[in-house]
Amino acid sequence: MATYRVYGTAKASPADTDWELLAETPDAVAATELVHESEGTFWRRLTEDGHVVLDRV
């Protein structure tokens, strides 16, 4: 089963070290919904098993 992680950053031009883990879930739908929320972050990123699926959403 895949693990989805949602990361967020408040920086407009983030480096790889600027991303903070916001959530981790095995549910792809929940992860996709969460990555499209913008409260408290400038950018969000979704990974699946360590690979970037959506970058800078």
Side-chain angles (χ1 to χ4, degrees):
M1 179 171 257
T3 298
Y4 299 91
R5 291 183 178 99
V6 177
Y7 295 88
T9 183
K11 299 198 177 194
S13 298
D16 286 337
T17 57
D18 294 328
W19 296 93
E20 297 179 27
L21 181 63
L22 301 176
E24 183 174 320
T25 181
D27 185 347
V29 174
T32 303
E33 289 173 352
L34 185 59
V35 81
H36 284 93
E37 293 178 10
S38 62
E39 187 174 333
T41 59
F42 191 88
W43 293 111
R44 291 204 178 185
R45 171 183 281 176
L46 175 64
T47 66
E48 177 183 359
D49 292 333
H51 301 283
V52 176
V53 177
L54 294 173
D55 192 23
R56 295 190 183 193
V57 178

